[in-house]
Amino acid sequence: MTETETNTYDVVVLGAGPVGENVADRTRAAGLTTAVVESELVGGECSYWACMPSKALLRPVIARADARRVPGLRQSVQGPLDAAAVLAHRDYYTSNWTDDGQVGWLDSIGAALYRGHGRLTGPRTVTVTGPDGAEHVLTARQAVAVCTGSRAALPALPGLDAVKPWTSREATSSKTVPGRLIVIGGGVVATEMATVWQALGSQVTLLVRGKGLLPRMEPFAGELIAEALTEAGADVRTGTSVESVTRENGTVVAVTGTGDRIEADEILFATGRAPRTDDIGLETIGLDPGSWLPVDDSLRVDGHDWLYAVGDVNHRALLTHQGKYQARIAGAAIAARATGETLLAEPWGAHAATADHAAVPQVVFTDPEAAAVGLSLAEAEQAGHRVKAVDVDLSTVAGAGLYADGYQGRARMVVDVEEEILRGVTLVGPGVGELIHSATIAVAGQVPVSRLWHAVPSYPTISEVWLRLLEAYRDA
């Protein structure tokens, strides 16, 4: 007979990815006892199958591309990448899929770790079934935070399971380079993984149902990346649906809506995400299993004063850094409510995740990079703002020319003409990922355009694009 152990904590965190870790960090800093439950590796998707491995794979690709644009250096980097070394570099940054370091960090903040599958079994109660079958019933005095993240969503194609398709997990952890790879999708995972595997030696075919890549960014972002992928040798097909997928004698065969038959060694579906809430006991508290969890700006689930949903599960902004931001807000809100402090829930207050609505930044680590924060022109107009967009060719900035011969890129600033603040900024070009935080500060800080004139960009850097954008707005 399996023995059941019962323990009580102030806070129980379900999921030990970056989001759950940050909730625990904030609640422990506030003096609240905290338990963290994890069914896989402490560190979660980001550490082992997403952000860290994908960027470790992309860094050599982007560095080589940049070096090939520099006189005196390009001839030294014309050969192929050392695929084995790139994959080993990736393995290093995933700690070879072990979580000892992350567990040590949890220990250092005084959080209790429970390994196993955790399920809600009623209000404020989580039951953890450990690898050995032992059960631990955890009761939360103050709050339960669901931080279970999301998983890859696969389409309902007959026989797809038998094909054993790649998802983002396999794409970032593969030990070998496929000779031919089909990538289905046009978003961040699709474009980044197409960039990686094409550079490592795969022949990539990218099939996109929609009109272009990166549909949530300004249209020119996807256009420039599609051009670059095509120039690198990838076959990019937009407006293309996949009707069937089979694996015949080890070869994947995809048939498109127009009847084209495409063969490959592997196929990656990068077609969206689904919440990891299907088996966490939501039904025991009146919520639907497998659903996204709507929350207020303090990340508290609607209708449940003790339940928080932080990170991907609330469907506000499926990005690691944004989930960590939410975790800091949620942890502070839990602590404030636990101690009776006044909740600062007004926009941009200490307990309100306002940036989720107005200032979400993102970098796509393709070649060229694409970076954006806030609203696109279309989003700003749909939200009812009176806006004007101004564009600048990044190649006209002196720093861009020094960065790379033949630099190609574009920048857009979306200005609210009534309030004279920025609603959004988009940058596309080599190296622009390191520029986006200045844009994030301008958007999140609602810095008036008149004050931005006094933020003098250093010469000659690519950041001088800020001056060019302000000049374009003044002269428009």
Side-chain angles (χ1 to χ4, degrees):
M1 183 176 178
T2 302
E3 186 175 339
T4 300
E5 180 184 64
T6 301
N7 290 291
T8 300
Y9 297 88
D10 291 321
V11 180
V12 176
V13 179
L14 196 54
V19 174
E21 289 177 323
N22 274 267
V23 171
D25 184 46
R26 292 298 83 212
T27 56
R28 284 297 301 129
L32 302 179
T33 59
T34 303
V36 181
V37 181
E38 178 53 52
S39 61
E40 293 187 286
L41 296 174
V42 175
E45 198 82 10
C46 172
S47 297
Y48 307 103
W49 300 287
C51 314
M52 296 306 291
S54 66
K55 277 51 187 184
L57 289 168
L58 282 157
R59 180 59 194 145
V61 175
I62 303 306
R64 181 181 67 164
D66 283 346
R68 285 178 170 177
R69 301 183 183 108
V70 179
L73 183 57
R74 64 170 56 96
Q75 295 305 318
S76 301
V77 289
Q78 289 303 312
L81 288 167
D82 183 338
V86 173
L87 297 180
H89 176 67
R90 180 269 320 271
D91 294 350
Y92 172 79
Y93 273 94
T94 61
S95 300
N96 288 291
W97 291 274
T98 61
D99 62 2
D100 295 353
Q102 305 266 25
V103 171
W105 179 83
L106 271 183
D107 288 343
S108 75
I109 65 168
L113 172 63
Y114 289 83
R115 288 193 183 273
H117 182 68
R119 298 183 84 255
L120 290 158
T121 46
R124 302 176 186 268
T125 305
V126 173
T127 298
V128 184
T129 304
D132 59 358
E135 287 192 346
H136 302 269
V137 178
L138 310 180
T139 301
R141 296 185 190 93
Q142 303 296 337
V144 173
V146 177
C147 309
T148 49
S150 64
R151 56 176 172 77
L154 291 171
L157 287 175
L160 186 59
D161 287 347
V163 174
K164 296 182 178 179
W166 278 10
T167 66
S168 52
R169 284 198 169 197
E170 290 77 20
T172 56
S173 63
S174 177
K175 297 292 187 181
T176 59
V177 179
R180 300 163 297 174
L181 175 65
I182 299 170
V183 179
I184 312 296
V188 177
V189 172
T191 53
E192 288 190 347
M193 291 299 97
T195 299
V196 164
W197 293 108
Q198 180 69 38
L200 288 178
S202 296
Q203 174 55 57
V204 171
T205 302
L206 182 59
L207 305 180
V208 186
R209 181 187 293 272
K211 296 179 181 179
L213 305 181
L214 302 178
R216 295 184 179 180
M217 285 190 171
E218 300 285 8
F220 64 81
E223 292 165 4
L224 288 169
I225 291 170
E227 290 172 8
L229 280 169
T230 301
E231 185 177 342
D235 180 2
V236 180
R237 307 186 193 185
T238 57
T240 302
S241 62
V242 176
E243 301 300 319
S244 69
V245 179
T246 56
R247 191 179 285 271
E248 303 170 6
N249 299 318
T251 298
V252 175
V253 179
V255 179
T256 70
T258 57
D260 290 342
R261 177 185 168 97
I262 305 169
E263 296 186 353
D265 299 289
E266 301 292 350
I267 185 167
L268 163 62
F269 280 88
T271 49
R273 307 290 295 179
R276 295 174 66 98
T277 60
D278 51 310
D279 189 23
I280 62 168
L282 291 183
E283 68 280 1
T284 69
I285 56 170
L287 297 174
D288 294 329
S291 64
W292 303 102
L293 299 176
V295 296
D296 62 20
D297 272 0
S298 72
L299 292 309
R300 189 164 63 173
V301 176
D302 297 347
H304 297 76
D305 63 4
W306 54 272
L307 184 66
Y308 292 72
V310 193
D312 283 11
V313 290
N314 61 41
H315 208 231
R316 286 162 68 105
L318 278 65
L319 296 159
T320 295
H321 50 271
Q322 209 67 23
K324 291 165 71 174
Y325 160 74
Q326 292 176 12
R328 295 189 292 272
I329 299 291
I334 291 168
R337 288 181 171 124
T339 57
E341 294 178 19
T342 300
L343 203 72
L344 303 176
E346 70 279 0
W348 306 109
H351 307 123
T354 311
D356 285 350
H357 312 298
V360 175
Q362 181 173 24
V363 178
V364 185
F365 292 84
T366 46
D367 177 34
E369 291 177 346
V373 63
L375 305 178
S376 67
L377 174 60
E379 289 170 338
E381 290 175 339
Q382 289 166 8
H385 300 297
R386 285 190 58 227
V387 293
K388 179 183 294 183
V390 292
D391 291 6
V392 167
D393 181 345
L394 267 169
S395 69
T396 63
V397 177
L402 291 167
Y403 189 93
D405 275 2
Y407 191 106
Q408 291 186 322
R410 186 172 170 185
R412 169 170 289 180
M413 184 171 73
V414 178
V415 184
D416 187 312
V417 297
E418 293 182 338
E419 298 191 36
E420 286 281 297
I421 59 173
L422 306 190
R423 292 293 178 184
V425 176
T426 299
L427 304 159
V428 182
V432 299
E434 295 300 333
L435 300 183
I436 199 60
H437 193 58
S438 57
T440 302
I441 292 170
V443 173
Q446 298 181 327
V447 181
V449 170
S450 59
R451 179 59 62 88
L452 286 175
W453 279 102
H454 297 281
V456 183
S458 297
Y459 184 86
T461 66
I462 304 175
S463 292
E464 200 179 13
V465 68
W466 279 106
L467 181 55
R468 301 285 89 83
L469 285 166
L470 290 169
E471 289 169 343
Y473 178 65
R474 178 196 61 194
D475 298 338

